Amino acid sequence: FGCTGGAGTGTVECSVASSCCVCQQVLCGYEPPPNNRYCDALKVGAPNALYGVKQVALKGEVGGSGAVLDCSARGSCASTYIMGEWLMSIICGGPDACRDSVMDIKQSTGITCSTRSCIGTTFNLLSNRGGSISCEAPEACMAATITVIGNIQDIKCGGVRGCKDAKITLTNPMEHFQLSCGGQSSCQGLTIDLIIDGPAATTGCTAITSAQPAYIEWKGITCGSMNSCQGLVLNVINNG
């Protein structure tokens, strides 16, 4: 059976341990009339409350600030599949909160992972609107796979082993993009692919000009602790 937000409130709450893991699907923002409205929040605040559910979907207000996905308890959203549109924030706040989950999100604004929250998680931010990838706590994003298309400001790997052995692919990050590896072994074994798209496809012949090419400035990489960047691989793929 499915679980949806009650009475058009725009909020789905899984506030009791293992409460929503019995649902075959959990929907927020997809209710039929007369209660249909956009999702304000999916709040998963109890241990293992959404664990293992493979059909989770939330849709925030199109053109607005968006919905909040808040997985704040131990294992609360672990091993799930989550699809979302127009999200203001993705918060994995408890130990193992989003571990081994897969999230496909359109119109996102980055992610925040706390201690051991996103180990082995796959994030696909398919049309990102800004924000950061924040892995500031110990082992926050260790061995995670993160793909971001567009407009990410920075990656913050401040915790001990915060981004260790992770794989991050960024397409067209924002100008002045920065990777910060502040904690011990925080970016050890991290692989980052930075992809810059080429110009839009045209038909016919392109006139030769003497104009200087446009440059994109990045702030660079900061390695602040012992072994923080050991084995880090940075691949820049310039299709421009």
Side-chain angles (χ1 to χ4, degrees), residues 55-138:
Q55 297 183 53
V56 181
L58 61 162
K59 182 178 182 179
E61 182 180 1
V62 176
S65 57
V68 173
L69 173 61
D70 187 358
C71 303
S72 59
R74 179 181 295 275
S76 51
C77 297
S79 298
T80 58
Y81 173 71
I82 299 175
M83 179 183 69
E85 304 175 63
W86 286 97
L87 267 62
M88 177 173 65
S89 56
I90 301 169
I91 303 168
C92 298
D96 301 318
C98 299
R99 184 169 186 152
D100 296 326
S101 290
V102 176
M103 300 190 191
D104 291 333
I105 309 296
K106 297 178 181 178
Q107 300 295 337
S108 54
T109 52
I111 59 175
T112 300
C113 296
S114 298
T115 301
R116 297 182 58 83
S117 292
C118 300
I119 296 176
T121 307
T122 298
F123 293 99
N124 297 311
L125 307 185
L126 303 175
S127 47
N128 193 66
R129 294 180 287 140
S132 302
I133 297 170
S134 180
C135 306
E136 295 273 60

Side-chain angles (χ1 to χ4, degrees), residues 3-13 26-31 35 39 41-42:
C3 303
T4 62
T9 63
T11 299
V12 174
E13 295 195 49
V26 175
L27 304 178
C28 184
Y30 294 93
E31 295 180 78
N35 293 330
C39 181
L42 172 55

